[in-house]
Amino acid sequence: MSRFFDTRLSRLEAYTPGEQPRDMKYIKLNTNESPYPPSDGVIKALGEAELAKRLRLYPDPECLEVRTLLSVVLGVDKDELVLTNGSDEALSFAFMSFCEKGVIFPEISYGFYKVFAELYNLKYRQIPLKDDFSINADDYIGTDETVFIANPNAPTGLFLGLDEIERIVTSNKNRLVVVDEAYIDFGGVSAIPLTKKYDNLLVIQTFSKSRSMAGARLGFAVGCKDIIRDMNTIRYSTNPYNINSATLAAARAAVIDNDYYMENCKKIIETRAYTTKALCELGFEVLDSKCNFIFAKHKELDGEEYYLELKRRGVLVRHFTSERIRDYNRITIGTREMMDVLITQTREILAAKRG
Ligand code: PMP
């Protein structure tokens, strides 16, 4: 730390992204990226010479064309939608803007919530999950703090029914509920239609997972016009050009090619069922995931040992060290071929262990 670093930030524990090692070629099942390439339309759009020439100019700060196209797909008004640099930025804006009375979020959830709460110096409470790792909606009823819920939750993969989300939203109309739907396209049901009914609900999604665009950094938030106006006030006060021209060009094509991405989601859901079944047959316990990953443990294998053994064999998964989930690993769903390698290696690890 330099002597110039603000002392209020000196104890901040930054978010640790999943590892992106370059030492060898891994089967990468650790950061929930899509195994499928962007659509042909996206690849073509990014290859256009016109796009490269346009880099001379600033991008459209209103992102009008993409916002208009996307709002049609989502069934909302374009002014109920704001585009952000990854959904992390939408979360950042929400933590920055709507949390005067503090925040609550599940104890086991997306690690960035705690980082943002600390970065913005907010009071926060982390609410324990039930024994089966599900969220108990009752814990969020009758509270005043802004709620952040990842739905489906990560890294558990469990989905909380929309009736439960609605119960939390209606229990206190004077506080905001933020639903982070990064993984919604893999079998959950989106709360976006509820934003028409409730002005205290903000829904955040991303192009990083189901739309194969993690590297382009595009997320978005949907809520009533007043909330979106506030988000734009923050956006224009930090980085009005938060979506670059290349990402806008890719996003335009990705929205047009929506069907391609929804087909990929179906494939991932099928491969998730296939992988879950195979791992259960090998003695794993696998939570009921509605995401493009599964959360799994095996009673004969220490979580860290399984992660390290897989890594040694060229398969990368995500291991967390916090007490309650250290026996588990989060495994991204890749193609069927990638998952066959994981299953084969797992079988060998178990055989070696059993001697
Ligand atoms: N929310 C959740 C629950 C996530 O797992 C992630 C991915 N790390 C994000 C938000 C942020 O994704 P991105 O910024 O790539 O949209």
Side-chain angles (χ1 to χ4, degrees):
M1 195 194 315
S2 81
R3 65 186 190 284
F4 307 108
F5 200 42
D6 192 319
T7 50
R8 287 167 299 184
L9 297 173
S10 61
R11 278 208 300 252
L12 183 67
E13 253 183 70
Y15 175 71
T16 317
E19 54 187 331
Q20 308 281 6
R22 310 275 178 223
D23 58 333
M24 60 180 261
K25 206 162 162 28
Y26 289 94
I27 293 189
K28 241 185 125 284
L29 305 176
N30 69 327
T31 46
N32 301 339
E33 289 138 330
S34 174
Y36 300 111
S39 66
D40 290 345
V42 170
I43 292 166
K44 182 163 174 293
L46 289 175
E48 299 283 354
E50 278 312 307
L51 169 64
K53 287 188 196 155
R54 254 201 337 272
L55 292 181
R56 184 175 66 79
L57 304 170
Y58 285 107
D60 170 18
E62 290 200 35
C63 308
L64 195 58
E65 190 185 11
V66 173
R67 217 156 33 89
T68 306
L69 286 169
L70 183 58
S71 65
V72 173
V73 172
L74 301 175
V76 300
D77 190 282
K78 67 179 183 349
D79 295 329
E80 294 167 337
L81 172 66
V82 60
L83 302 189
T84 55
N85 192 303
S87 55
D88 281 338
E89 190 182 50
L91 289 166
S92 173
F93 289 169
F95 273 90
M96 213 188 286
S97 320
F98 305 119
C99 300
E100 235 175 316
K101 291 190 182 152
V103 288
I104 49 175
F105 48 87
E107 187 179 13
I108 295 167
S109 193
Y110 184 34
F112 230 133
Y113 301 159
K114 185 166 173 242
V115 177
F116 283 135
E118 295 196 347
L119 177 63
Y120 299 128
N121 211 6
L122 304 170
K123 272 192 278 155
Y124 66 92
R125 290 192 293 135
Q126 294 176 276
I127 311 293
L129 297 177
K130 291 199 243 178
D131 286 346
D132 62 0
F133 287 110
S134 63
I135 289 171
N136 184 1
D138 289 335
D139 292 337
Y140 300 81
I141 306 281
T143 56
D144 277 334
E145 300 109 311
T146 304
V147 174
F148 284 81
I149 285 182
N151 199 33
N153 196 10
T156 62
L158 300 179
F159 179 72
L160 182 67
L162 274 196
D163 46 343
E164 295 290 75
I165 295 286
E166 191 165 4
R167 210 153 64 78
I168 297 170
V169 172
T170 53
S171 76
N172 180 353
K173 297 265 185 70
N174 288 320
R175 64 95 186 267
L176 184 67
V177 176
V178 181
V179 183
D180 173 357
E181 294 188 339
Y183 299 101
I184 198 65
D185 294 323
F186 303 102
V189 184
S190 175
I192 285 179
L194 292 179
T195 60
K196 298 262 171 223
K197 256 167 104 179
Y198 305 112
D199 68 357
N200 62 323
L201 172 64
L202 183 69
V203 178
I204 292 175
Q205 291 192 12
T206 180
F207 277 55
S208 294
K209 322 288 178 184
S210 56
R211 289 181 173 78
S212 307
M213 266 175 54
R217 313 305 301 129
L218 185 68
F220 60 90
V222 179
C224 72
K225 289 181 185 169
D226 284 347
I227 291 181
I228 297 304
R229 203 172 293 121
D230 295 340
M231 302 270 287
N232 275 316
T233 301
I234 298 300
R235 193 169 69 85
Y236 277 93
S237 305
T238 51
N239 184 9
Y241 304 113
N242 61 336
I243 315 296
N244 69 66
S245 309
T247 297
L248 281 178
R252 179 181 177 279
V255 176
I256 292 168
D257 291 342
N258 195 47
D259 291 352
Y260 164 79
Y261 293 103
M262 294 307 120
E263 273 308 307
N264 286 347
C265 289
K266 273 195 213 151
K267 284 195 249 173
I268 287 169
I269 291 169
E270 276 165 26
T271 312
R272 183 178 70 206
Y274 169 79
T275 310
T276 302
K277 182 164 176 287
L279 289 183
C280 287
E281 281 166 8
L282 291 174
F284 278 81
E285 225 177 85
V286 183
L287 300 194
D288 177 24
S289 170
K290 292 282 183 284
C291 294
N292 66 340
F293 59 81
I294 49 175
F295 203 47
K297 75 166 181 180
H298 195 287
K299 60 180 180 312
E300 294 161 52
L301 271 179
D302 176 72
E304 188 181 19
E305 177 192 9
Y306 179 46
Y307 152 76
L308 287 173
E309 263 305 311
L310 281 175
K311 186 172 178 185
R312 203 171 63 77
R313 294 158 181 261
V315 181
L316 212 51
V317 299
R318 183 92 194 247
H319 181 250
F320 300 88
T321 50
S322 77
E323 189 55 36
R324 186 153 172 215
I325 54 173
R326 58 186 307 157
D327 292 342
Y328 287 80
N329 278 286
R330 191 192 69 189
I331 305 168
T332 303
I333 302 298
T335 59
R336 177 84 158 230
E337 294 70 33
M338 291 158 90
M339 302 324 281
D340 277 335
V341 175
L342 170 97
I343 294 160
T344 305
Q345 292 301 333
T346 301
R347 195 175 287 122
E348 285 179 17
I349 291 169
L350 280 169
K353 177 104 189 158
R354 287 166 183 162

